[in-house]
Amino acid sequence: ENTEGVFMFVTLVLSGIIIGTQTSRLRLQATSSKKREENTIALYDMTKELSASRGKNTLAEIVSRHIGEVLDSDVSVWIPGEDDKLNYIVEYDEGEEDLDLVREESAARWALTHKQTAGLGTETLPSASGFYIPISNASTVLGVIGVIPHDERKSYNAEDIDLLDT
């Protein structure tokens, strides 16, 4: 009888661990699915608004507003200008007065020149406050999007970066 009680106890503990693990996994999948759904809706809304708009300034403002809302971040859009300068189309909010704009522009310029991400969370210029991703078509880099999280402890995960790429 004692052996049977121990066996029953071990069986119940193992069942509890298995059920708890499965419940945790399902909760994580549900959260991930909800986030993907929100991102899909945001992309759809942005695409609808972009398709009804013209002009690079208007398009940049729409993109920066939507990205800022989805990633809870300040967003800037940079394009190459004359004399090898990078120019803002959309600037960071005024609340970013403590930014080192030289460092941010360096990260944006690197992303533009090398056609790769730079800045926050990358191995290239990680001291920048923002994450910089090049905007490109099949052959040319058209500009750079800079994203600075409102929460300075946040870094962007692979899902956020995939969303920015999209």
Side-chain angles (χ1 to χ4, degrees), residues 13 63 72 77 96 115 130 132 135 146 157:
V13 168
V63 168
D72 189 29
V77 179
E96 299 294 332
K115 302 176 184 176
Y132 295 88
I135 307 167
N157 60 32

Side-chain angles (χ1 to χ4, degrees), residues 37-115:
E37 179 183 357
E38 289 169 357
N39 289 347
T40 301
I41 290 169
L43 283 172
Y44 174 74
D45 290 343
M46 184 177 70
T47 302
K48 246 181 21 180
E49 199 172 337
L50 286 171
S51 67
S53 302
R54 297 288 177 261
K56 66 182 173 188
N57 289 0
T58 304
L59 296 175
E61 288 169 8
I62 291 168
V63 168
S64 66
R65 182 170 31 84
H66 280 277
I67 290 172
E69 289 171 2
V70 170
L71 296 179
D72 189 29
S73 303
D74 288 321
V75 179
S76 68
V77 179
W78 308 64
I79 60 166
E82 296 177 17
D83 303 330
D84 198 35
K85 269 186 87 172
L86 264 181
N87 300 317
Y88 282 113
I89 292 183
V90 178
E91 294 187 49
Y92 288 119
D93 286 345
E94 292 78 33
E96 299 294 332
E97 61 272 328
D98 59 338
L99 276 182
D100 179 351
L101 288 178
V102 172
R103 182 176 24 203
E104 301 309 307
E105 184 176 351
S106 295
R109 180 175 302 287
W110 194 95
L112 181 79
T113 305
H114 294 88
K115 302 176 184 176

